[in-house]
Amino acid sequence: MEKDGVLRQKMLNDLKKEIFRKSIHLCAGFVPFFLAHFFVFTITALSSVAVLYIVCEFLRLKGIRVPLISAVTETAARKRDDGRFVLGPVMLVLGILATALIFQPVPASIGIYALAFGDGFASLAGKLFGKHKLCCKKITCGKTVEGSLACFLAVFISSFAVTKKITVSLVLAVVATLIEVLPLKDFDNLIIPVTIAFCSHFLLTF
């Protein structure tokens, strides 16, 4: 009974961490709005946040805690990040910045939405409802059918909301879902928005 209680508590703590982490992802969904109305300010703000985070993270690893920022990092950090630089937030901001600076507003928005909603809801759905593991566990790292379905639906809906094109949205949703199941760790925060923005640019142009 005690062992079961410990396991339940561990699962609950992991779920709380994942909800906290992915709430940050979901907030990225507001970025296209700010880019559309305050482009320079938004790029400057995101760049400043990335630099500040990197400095604070190096200080944290040296035992110097920065109020609020270190607490947020520790709350969001996964077990694999113990004693290491937590790379996820940096990749998240870099993914958004790269997408916004390289692509036109429409494909950039689609890419950022794919990161915010596709990756965000995939992880939450996998943690909350995931019961069926995907095949090829060495590749998918235990990700679930439920999580992949959530990713597909989130990217399809967000892409369709922007493009109003069913075929384009279906293709983008498939591509995003295939990327999301790969063992990319924190680098999916960079690869997903850039890849989806590129694909949407190509599909909408040709």
Side-chain angles (χ1 to χ4, degrees), residues 149-172:
L149 180 60
C151 177
F152 178 88
L153 291 174
V155 175
F156 174 77
I157 292 170
S158 61
S159 298
F160 183 75
V162 177
T163 66
K164 302 298 188 294
K165 298 179 182 293
I166 292 179
T167 303
V168 170
S169 301
L170 283 172
V171 172
L172 295 176

Side-chain angles (χ1 to χ4, degrees), residues 20-201:
F20 182 77
R21 288 179 65 256
K22 293 309 175 180
S23 66
I24 298 174
H25 262 70
L26 294 174
C27 286
F30 292 106
V31 172
F33 170 82
F34 289 105
L35 287 171
H37 294 85
F38 316 101
F39 185 84
V40 175
F41 172 79
T42 303
I43 294 297
T44 302
L46 288 171
S47 301
S48 300
V49 167
V51 172
L52 177 62
Y53 173 82
I54 290 170
V55 171
C56 292
E57 188 63 356
F58 276 121
L59 290 174
R60 184 182 69 85
L61 292 176
K62 292 181 177 295
I64 304 173
R65 289 178 53 82
V66 178
L68 183 61
I69 296 177
S70 294
V72 169
T73 301
E74 291 165 358
T75 302
R78 290 169 168 168
K79 185 177 181 180
R80 72 184 187 212
D81 296 319
D82 289 350
R84 299 172 55 190
F85 187 102
V86 181
L87 197 58
V90 177
M91 289 295 102
L92 179 70
V93 175
L94 286 180
I96 294 171
L97 285 173
T99 305
L101 292 171
I102 294 172
F103 299 100
Q104 294 297 315
V106 170
S109 296
I110 294 170
I112 293 170
Y113 287 144
L115 171 63
F117 304 127
D119 190 36
F121 284 120
S123 184
L124 288 176
K127 286 286 186 182
L128 291 169
F129 311 111
K131 295 181 179 179
H132 304 90
K133 301 291 184 182
L134 292 169
C135 59
C136 302
K137 291 183 180 180
K138 290 183 179 180
I139 297 177
T140 62
C141 296
K143 293 184 179 181
T144 64
V145 173
E146 291 82 359
S148 292
L149 180 60
C151 177
F152 178 88
L153 291 174
V155 175
F156 174 77
I157 292 170
S158 61
S159 298
F160 183 75
V162 177
T163 66
K164 302 298 188 294
K165 298 179 182 293
I166 292 179
T167 303
V168 170
S169 301
L170 283 172
V171 172
L172 295 176
V174 170
V175 173
T177 303
L178 291 175
I179 296 173
E180 199 278 329
V181 301
L182 296 175
L184 299 173
K185 296 184 178 179
D186 294 319
F187 290 97
D188 62 351
N189 291 340
L190 176 61
I191 294 171
I192 287 176
V194 172
T195 303
I196 297 304
F198 173 79
C199 290
S200 63
H201 171 76

Side-chain angles (χ1 to χ4, degrees), residues 1-17:
M1 290 294 292
E2 183 177 349
K3 184 178 180 181
D4 290 341
V6 171
L7 289 174
R8 280 196 296 271
Q9 187 60 46
K10 181 179 181 302
M11 291 176 62
L12 182 60
N13 290 338
D14 289 344
L15 180 59
K16 287 180 179 178
K17 278 181 175 288

